[in-house]
Amino acid sequence: MNTISSADSEQLVIEIQSTGQKISITRAESIIDALARSGIEIATSCQSGLCGTCKTRYLSGDVEHGDCILSDLEHQEYLTPCISHIKSGTLVLDL
């Protein structure tokens, strides 16, 4: 019997703080790709969390950080959307 875990079926959402726009995202999709798909462009360079070009402030959310440049303290407020993912729920970006 196949069952879908709640983590697999949970809806992941990016919310843009300034407009209230909500963007659904899958676990496999990068934050930067979901934003671009919705017409929100963020400058990128390396696409692998090494340069910091796309460093973006977030206001709330459960983030899986994938970068190599931000400190633990910076991770409390910033993410690199080219490589970071949402662990669960809604991620509110300061955009």
Side-chain angles (χ1 to χ4, degrees):
M1 172 163 92
N2 287 348
T3 59
I4 298 173
S5 75
S6 61
D8 290 337
S9 62
E10 180 180 11
Q11 184 176 6
L12 302 176
V13 176
I14 300 166
E15 182 177 335
I16 307 304
Q17 191 272 333
S18 64
T19 64
Q21 179 182 4
K22 293 185 178 176
I23 303 162
S24 292
I25 182 172
T26 66
R27 292 203 182 281
E29 188 175 22
S30 73
I31 295 170
I32 205 93
D33 288 344
L35 292 171
R37 172 174 47 81
S38 298
I40 300 167
E41 297 293 330
I42 294 179
T44 63
S45 183
C46 74
Q47 295 277 331
S48 59
L50 296 173
C51 72
T53 300
C54 67
K55 178 179 169 182
T56 303
R57 185 169 179 257
Y58 69 99
L59 304 172
S60 66
D62 193 7
V63 178
E64 179 180 330
H65 297 279
D67 66 88
C68 300
I69 59 160
L70 299 179
S71 69
D72 288 344
L73 185 60
E74 287 175 301
H75 280 156
Q76 294 175 23
E77 190 174 351
Y78 294 95
L79 57 83
T80 50
C82 70
I83 195 82
S84 298
H85 293 275
I86 303 172
K87 287 183 183 179
S88 63
T90 299
L91 173 68
V92 181
L93 295 178
D94 187 18
L95 295 174

